[in-house]
Amino acid sequence: MKARVTVTLKNGVLDPQGKAIEGALKSLGVEGIASVRQGKVFDIELDTSDKAKAEASLKAACEKLLANTVIENYRVELT
Amino acid sequence: MKARVTVTLKNGVLDPQGKAIEGALKSLGVEGIASVRQGKVFDIELDTSDKAKAEASLKAACEKLLANTVIENYRVELT
């Protein structure tokens, strides 16, 4: 079973990395970009085919390690 | 107009960061994780409402800065 976890910064949290990318795109001459925010994505393979078990494992992984829930949101998609 | 760009490592490219996360999850007692690969996600706001123009800008941004196309794949979703 495969899953994709997407971790993004919460609204209102400053994103200096995104700002730097925005600046770099402008100086590279890429037009039409208003703002950039960077996040992380994790492609996870699970060795179970039980959906409930997989969801529980992924939730634990996100809460314990993958996301800092003070400043980040996470979203789990099973595929 | 908003877009999400997802950059992931190509198959066969080693991912030491993903391996480290795998190990950390195991030592944290999260069960059922077979493998982890990490990628990046960019949430981009565009100041155009022309879909073709937006797609061209995003392609340029990916090729020039966001992805290293030697070792990474990228996917653009307009939302």
Side-chain angles (χ1 to χ4, degrees):
Chain A
M1 205 170 205
K2 285 186 179 186
R4 169 162 282 187
V5 173
T6 315
V7 177
T8 50
L9 282 173
K10 287 185 179 173
N11 282 337
V13 178
L14 289 178
D15 181 10
Q17 198 172 0
K19 281 275 163 223
I21 294 167
E22 235 178 275
L25 286 173
K26 246 163 232 158
S27 51
L28 283 169
V30 179
E31 274 167 32
I33 307 287
S35 82
V36 180
R37 283 177 83 77
Q38 180 165 9
K40 288 171 281 185
V41 64
F42 303 93
D43 286 317
I44 299 179
E45 234 165 280
L46 295 130
D47 50 16
T48 170
S49 54
D50 179 336
K51 209 181 154 192
K53 242 186 198 169
E55 273 171 356
S57 287
L58 289 166
K59 190 164 184 260
C62 290
E63 300 277 348
K64 285 185 184 171
L65 185 71
L66 302 181
N68 175 356
T69 52
V70 177
I71 56 165
E72 290 171 328
N73 292 319
Y74 65 86
R75 203 159 62 96
V76 174
E77 291 159 276
L78 280 169
T79 53
Chain B
M1 205 171 206
K2 286 186 180 188
R4 168 163 284 188
V5 173
T6 314
V7 177
T8 50
L9 283 173
K10 287 186 178 169
N11 283 337
V13 177
L14 288 178
D15 180 9
Q17 199 173 0
K19 280 274 165 224
I21 294 167
E22 237 178 275
L25 286 172
K26 248 164 228 157
S27 50
L28 282 169
V30 179
E31 275 167 30
I33 308 289
S35 82
V36 180
R37 282 176 84 77
Q38 181 166 7
K40 287 172 279 186
V41 63
F42 302 94
D43 287 318
I44 299 179
E45 233 164 282
L46 295 130
D47 51 15
T48 170
S49 53
D50 180 335
K51 209 181 154 191
K53 241 187 200 169
E55 272 170 358
S57 288
L58 289 167
K59 189 162 184 265
C62 290
E63 301 276 347
K64 285 186 185 171
L65 185 71
L66 302 181
N68 174 355
T69 52
V70 178
I71 55 165
E72 290 172 328
N73 292 319
Y74 66 84
R75 203 159 62 97
V76 173
E77 293 158 274
L78 280 169
T79 53

